């Protein structure tokens, strides 16, 4: 290493230029930095839960949804012409936004695109509840009656008290697209404000965008604070401009190298990644402290030495501990590659990269820079030496630690016993740790997304979806009255849980058809006994309506059914209770030789995410 330092001192400007060029290059890569807040992207790509969830989203053509809530506590709720015109206008504008999935007229769901199954002389017909906005109060009352007589959308799309309704817009994949759609929807919502209606925007995409914005804000707030703390630290330790500027260049350079390499490799910033610059800087300053402290001691103790000799003596003694401490720290973080969670793996890898970058910069930039500067004594050291001699200072410290050592030695058994008791208590406490997390509770309670989520959960069935997929062994099995009744029974069971607001499945459509075919008598809102009757209802629906209306609840072959369970809580402990009820019901009611159940949706992937964490 001595030869290396001799070369550094021989060509200090070249070393500084090379380091500056590398730093500029890595800094230029930061433009490729992107935020990733999607929970699924944080899990191993080949994880069974992710693979199955992707499969279900493709089969049932379901995507993440932005939820727009419209609540009017005045004018008799939303059933007035002003509110209804707003709903239709906003639905059409949202459907026209790039990034919103609107291949069909009713892909953006709202009161103006929902379809009603109603009886006719020939059987039943399928038509929009509100193809045109009602012009008279009588027409508005008829609309309201038809919605509540149907009942399928009450709670899920229309509040029970008639004061609120939802617009649901599925969006295409990609965080950048989410940012764009979310901000465009917010602009549309802002244009509609000013009346008695309160508008809210919620949903998992909104939450993810909010986390991305928080990540940027956190870094913008924390970096100046950390840099300020570092500057203050070095002012107090060294009291010189070089003692502040040089270490600052080392730690900032190490952050740029680590983050630049990560961006260059197109690895995204996860939530945990926002701590990387802080940790790299906190660890990286240690190398500079050790090297500069030794440098100032050499200057003070050897006033006649040449500059090159002082720097060589400093680096000769310090390179070994600097390299060893950096390597052990880096290896400690590299061990995180064994973690299941993708963000934690990258967190460990690039903290290690930053630590090694700080080591390289400390061993190259510091001696090269010091070589270009005049020798300088630490003014704080000069001040202290004027107050008390070094021997007196050591004697004073030695007395304090000598007394502590004597006390520990005298009562060693008692102190050992106390420490063992504390250790056992702490070990016991480890087994009491429970895993529970909530995405929504991690955002500020004063934020728009939190307020929106609370308001919509209070008025409607819930903003988080859990998919219960009933998968049959043969095509057409979802037309079986037995299986449909079991699906309906599972929905009834789950809807009794406090955290479940409501649910939706193909069974509800069949029950509605059976009711309207029997003069809307409530006792006929059941699954018919005949499989042929179920098939006939479905055929009649396809003739009057769009068979694609069932795409999100049953597959083309009627082999798989998707039960939408709407939850009011995203705490993993609450999700676990629902999952337990599903498993119990499956064991006691479903014939597992014919069907089996699987789970998917945002609620389930969040549950798996926390389990892996």
């Amino acid at each position: 290493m001595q030869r290396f330092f001799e070369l550094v001192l021989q060509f200090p400007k070249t070393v500084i230029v090379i380091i500056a060029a590398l730093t500029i290059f890595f800094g230029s890569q930061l433009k490729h930095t992107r935020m990733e807040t999607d929970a699924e992207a944080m899990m191993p790509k080949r994880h069974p839960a992710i693979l199955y969830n992707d499969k279900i989203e493709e089969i049932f053509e379901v995507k993440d949804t932005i939820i727009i809530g419209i609540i009017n506590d005045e004018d008799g709720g939303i059933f007035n012409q002003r509110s209804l015109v707003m709903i239709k206008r906003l639905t059409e504008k949202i459907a026209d936004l790039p990034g919103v999935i609107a291949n069909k007229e009713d892909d953006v769901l709202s009161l103006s695109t929902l379809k009603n199954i109603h009886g006719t002389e020939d059987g039943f017909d399928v038509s929009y509840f509100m193809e045109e906005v009602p012009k008279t109060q009588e027409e508005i009352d008829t609309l309201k009656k038809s919605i509540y007589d149907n009942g399928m959308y009450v709670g899920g799309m229309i509040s029970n008290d008639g004061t609120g309704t939802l617009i649901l817009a599925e969006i295409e994949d990609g965080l950048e697209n989410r940012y764009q759609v979310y901000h465009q929807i917010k602009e549309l919502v802002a244009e509609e404000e000013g009346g008695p209606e309160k508008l809210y925007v919620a949903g998992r995409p909104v939450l993810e965008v909010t986390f991305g914005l928080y990540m940027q804000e956190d870094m913008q707030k924390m970096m100046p604070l950390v840099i300020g703390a570092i500057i203050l630290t070095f002012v107090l330790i060294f009291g010189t401009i070089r003692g502040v500027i040089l270490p600052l260049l080392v730690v900032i350079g190490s952050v740029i190298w680590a983050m630049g390499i990560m961006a260059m490799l197109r690895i995204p910033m996860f939530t945990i990644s926002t701590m990387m610059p802080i940790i790299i800087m906190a660890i990286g300053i240690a190398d500079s402290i050790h090297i500069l402290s030794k440098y100032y001691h050499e200057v003070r103790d050897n006033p006649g030495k040449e500059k090159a000799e002082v720097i060589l003596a400093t680096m000769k003694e310090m390179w070994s501990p600097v390299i060893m401490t950096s390597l052990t720290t880096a290896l400690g973080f590299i061990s995180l590659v064994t973690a299941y969670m993708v963000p934690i793996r990258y967190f460990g890898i690039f903290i290690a990269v930053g630590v090694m970058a700080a080591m390289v910069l400390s061993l190259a930039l510091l001696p090269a820079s010091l070589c270009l500067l005049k020798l300088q004594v630490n003014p704080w050291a000069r001040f202290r030496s004027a107050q008390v001699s070094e021997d007196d200072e050591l004697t004073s410290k030695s007395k304090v630690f000598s007394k502590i050592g004597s006390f520990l030695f005298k009562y060693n058994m008692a102190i050992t016993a106390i420490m063992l008791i504390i250790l056992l208590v702490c070990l016991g406490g480890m087994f009491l740790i429970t895993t529970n997390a909530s995405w929504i509770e991690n955002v500020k309670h004063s934020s728009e997304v939190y307020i929106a989520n609370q308001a919509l959960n209070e008025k409607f069935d819930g903003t988080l979806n859990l998919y219960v997929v009933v998968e049959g062994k043969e095509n057409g099995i979802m037309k079986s009255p037995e299986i449909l009744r079991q699906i309906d029974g599972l929905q009834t069971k789950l809807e009794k849980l406090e955290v479940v607001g409501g649910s939706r499945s193909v069974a509800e459509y069949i029950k509605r058809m059976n009711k309207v075919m029997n003069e809307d008598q409530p006792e006929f809102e059941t699954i018919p006994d005949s499989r042929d009757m179920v098939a006939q209802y479905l055929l009649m629906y396809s003739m009057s309506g769009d068979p694609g209306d069932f795409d999100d609840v049953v597959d083309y072959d009627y082999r798989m059914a998707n039960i939408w369970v709407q939850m009011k809580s995203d705490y993993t402990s609450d999700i676990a209770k629902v999952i337990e009820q599903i498993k119990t019901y499956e064991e006691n009611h479903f014939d597992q030789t014919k069907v089996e159940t699987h789970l998917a949706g945002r609620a389930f992937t969040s549950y798996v995410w926390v389990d892996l964490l």
Side-chain angles (χ1 to χ4, degrees):
M1 288 297 292
Q2 183 167 340
R3 180 57 183 155
F4 169 77
F5 294 120
E6 288 174 353
L7 287 171
V8 169
L9 297 179
Q10 187 177 353
F11 305 103
K13 292 181 180 179
T14 303
V15 171
I16 292 172
V17 168
I18 292 172
I19 290 172
L22 286 170
T23 305
I24 292 170
F25 171 73
F26 290 132
S28 69
Q29 300 301 306
L30 293 174
K31 64 186 177 185
H32 300 299
T33 301
R34 67 180 180 89
M35 303 293 181
E36 181 58 83
T37 53
D38 187 345
E40 293 178 13
M42 301 180 191
M43 296 170 63
K45 290 183 179 179
R46 306 305 297 174
H47 192 280
I50 295 299
L51 293 175
Y52 190 75
N53 191 74
D54 290 344
K55 172 185 171 183
I56 293 307
E57 287 185 350
E58 183 178 352
I59 290 173
F60 294 104
E61 299 180 6
V62 290
K63 295 287 185 181
D64 282 338
T65 303
I66 290 183
I67 305 169
I68 301 92
I70 301 170
I71 296 175
N72 185 355
D73 291 319
E74 303 175 16
D75 300 334
I78 57 160
F79 290 97
N80 64 82
Q81 193 175 45
R82 172 194 161 87
S83 296
L84 295 175
V85 167
M86 176 191 290
I87 292 163
K88 186 173 179 61
R89 180 173 60 242
L90 198 52
T91 301
E92 292 171 350
K93 287 183 178 180
I94 290 172
D96 289 336
L97 293 177
V100 172
I101 298 173
N103 300 319
K104 297 185 298 182
E105 188 178 356
D106 54 359
D107 276 348
V108 176
L109 285 179
S110 76
L111 190 52
S112 65
T113 60
L114 290 178
K115 292 179 180 178
N116 185 24
I117 305 171
H118 55 92
T120 64
E121 292 181 1
D122 299 323
F124 65 78
D125 189 24
V126 181
S127 61
Y128 291 105
F129 280 105
M130 190 180 79
E131 193 162 4
E132 296 294 336
V133 177
K135 292 182 173 58
T136 65
Q137 187 59 46
E138 184 179 355
E139 290 176 343
I140 292 174
D141 292 339
T142 301
L143 169 65
K144 184 176 182 179
K145 183 176 185 304
S146 65
I147 290 171
Y148 284 92
D149 283 348
N150 182 311
M152 285 181 61
Y153 304 106
V154 177
M157 289 294 297
I158 311 293
S159 66
N160 288 294
D161 60 4
T163 60
T165 187
L166 300 178
I167 300 174
L168 306 181
E170 291 187 337
I171 61 172
E172 296 171 358
D173 294 329
L175 187 63
E176 291 301 323
N177 181 65
R178 291 166 191 242
Y179 274 99
Q180 178 184 345
V181 174
Y182 172 52
H183 288 299
Q184 288 177 329
I185 287 177
K186 280 190 69 177
E187 289 175 5
L188 293 178
V189 165
E191 292 172 4
E192 300 290 351
E193 290 175 342
E197 298 87 2
K198 294 179 181 177
L199 287 87
Y200 301 95
V201 184
R204 181 52 68 95
V206 176
L207 193 57
E208 291 174 359
V209 169
T210 303
F211 268 106
L213 295 174
Y214 278 3
M215 288 161 63
Q216 296 175 23
E217 289 175 8
D218 287 345
M219 292 183 68
Q220 291 169 359
K221 290 177 182 177
M222 290 300 297
M223 287 296 287
L225 289 174
V226 173
I227 290 173
I230 289 173
I231 290 172
L232 179 61
T233 300
F234 282 106
V235 167
L236 295 174
I237 293 175
F238 300 123
T240 63
I241 294 176
R242 72 181 65 179
V244 174
I245 299 297
L246 294 182
L248 201 59
L249 291 175
V250 167
V251 293
I252 291 176
S254 60
V255 170
I256 292 173
W257 284 29
M259 304 296 285
I261 293 171
M262 188 169 76
M264 183 173 65
L265 297 175
R266 302 300 190 270
I267 293 168
M269 286 277 292
F270 298 96
T271 307
I272 193 173
S273 306
T274 57
M275 294 188 290
M276 283 174 47
I278 315 305
I279 294 174
I280 291 171
M281 294 174 79
I283 295 172
I285 62 170
D287 296 340
S288 298
I289 289 174
H290 295 315
I291 291 172
L292 287 174
S293 294
K294 178 60 181 172
Y295 166 78
Y296 280 120
H297 275 96
E298 285 290 329
V299 173
R300 184 190 65 185
D301 297 341
N302 302 281
K305 268 189 177 182
E306 293 292 327
K307 182 165 52 177
E309 291 181 281
V310 170
I311 298 171
L312 277 174
T314 299
M315 301 313 297
K316 182 179 178 181
E317 184 168 334
M318 297 310 302
W319 73 265
S320 180
V322 166
I323 289 177
M324 290 306 297
T325 54
S326 298
L327 284 174
T328 52
T329 302
L331 286 171
F333 280 103
I334 283 289
S335 68
L336 292 176
V337 298
T338 60
Y340 282 114
M341 302 297 292
V342 173
I344 295 176
R345 291 182 200 168
Y346 289 135
F347 175 77
I349 291 170
F350 289 101
I351 287 285
V353 170
V355 169
M356 296 308 293
M359 180 196 77
V360 170
L361 292 172
S362 297
L363 296 177
L365 181 63
L366 288 182
S369 300
L370 291 171
C371 184
L372 299 176
L373 300 170
K374 293 180 181 180
L375 290 176
Q376 186 181 43
V377 178
N378 184 342
W380 297 130
R382 188 187 297 118
F383 173 77
R384 283 195 297 268
S385 63
Q387 300 296 319
V388 60
S389 69
E390 188 173 341
D391 290 340
D392 290 340
E393 188 177 2
L394 289 173
T395 302
S396 175
K397 290 177 181 177
S398 298
K399 286 180 180 178
V400 173
F401 284 103
S402 177
K403 289 180 179 179
I404 294 173
S406 298
F407 177 82
L408 295 175
F409 182 78
K410 184 176 180 180
Y411 300 103
N412 66 86
M413 294 301 293
I415 291 171
T416 302
I418 291 170
M419 294 306 296
L420 285 173
I421 291 170
I422 292 172
L423 179 63
L424 289 172
V425 170
C426 293
L427 285 173
M430 288 176 64
F431 292 99
L432 300 178
I433 294 173
T434 58
T435 305
N436 194 18
S438 165
W439 279 63
I440 191 64
E441 289 299 329
N442 283 330
V443 301
K444 298 173 187 175
H445 287 197
S446 59
S447 67
E448 291 181 358
V449 64
Y450 186 87
I451 294 170
N453 192 76
Q454 296 299 102
L456 299 186
N457 274 330
E458 184 179 336
K459 282 284 183 183
F460 302 95
D461 287 344
T463 57
L464 182 67
N465 290 325
L466 173 68
Y467 302 144
V468 185
V469 182
V470 183
E471 195 167 337
K473 308 291 184 181
E474 61 183 40
N475 291 343
I477 196 169
M478 292 307 151
K479 297 177 183 178
S480 162
E482 176 191 4
I483 302 299
L484 290 170
R485 287 194 187 100
Q486 290 167 349
I487 290 173
D488 186 51
L490 176 57
Q491 289 180 252
T492 302
K493 182 180 181 66
L494 294 180
E495 287 173 7
K496 292 178 181 178
L497 299 176
E498 186 177 352
V499 295
V500 175
S503 62
R504 184 166 62 88
S505 75
V506 66
E508 285 191 293
Y509 285 97
I510 301 299
K511 287 164 61 178
R512 174 65 183 169
M513 294 178 211
N514 194 49
K515 181 184 177 184
V516 299
M517 286 293 289
N518 288 276
E519 300 177 346
D520 267 335
Q521 297 180 58
E523 61 268 25
F524 283 97
E525 194 170 3
T526 57
I527 303 296
D529 295 328
S530 166
R531 180 169 181 155
D532 290 339
M533 184 63 71
V534 172
Q536 186 176 342
Y537 285 164
L538 293 170
L539 177 63
M540 291 173 64
Y541 190 100
S542 67
M543 295 169 64
S544 177
D546 182 356
D549 293 342
F550 302 146
D551 284 349
D552 60 348
V553 291
V554 69
D555 71 337
Y556 179 79
D557 297 319
Y558 281 82
R559 187 181 68 84
M560 300 171 67
N562 183 24
I563 306 172
W564 288 59
V565 180
Q566 290 180 267
M567 296 189 59
K568 293 178 176 287
S569 167
D570 70 340
Y571 272 109
T572 46
S573 59
D574 291 330
I575 298 170
K577 292 175 185 175
V578 176
I579 291 173
E580 184 181 350
Q581 292 294 320
I582 292 167
K583 290 180 178 177
T584 301
Y585 187 91
E586 178 188 24
E587 292 170 0
N588 296 331
H589 295 85
F590 284 112
D591 184 347
Q592 296 183 23
T593 62
K594 295 180 180 179
V595 297
E596 56 186 28
T597 63
H598 301 279
L599 298 171
R602 284 295 190 166
F604 183 63
T605 53
S606 294
Y607 170 80
V608 173
W609 183 84
V610 172
D611 186 55
L612 288 176
L613 187 64

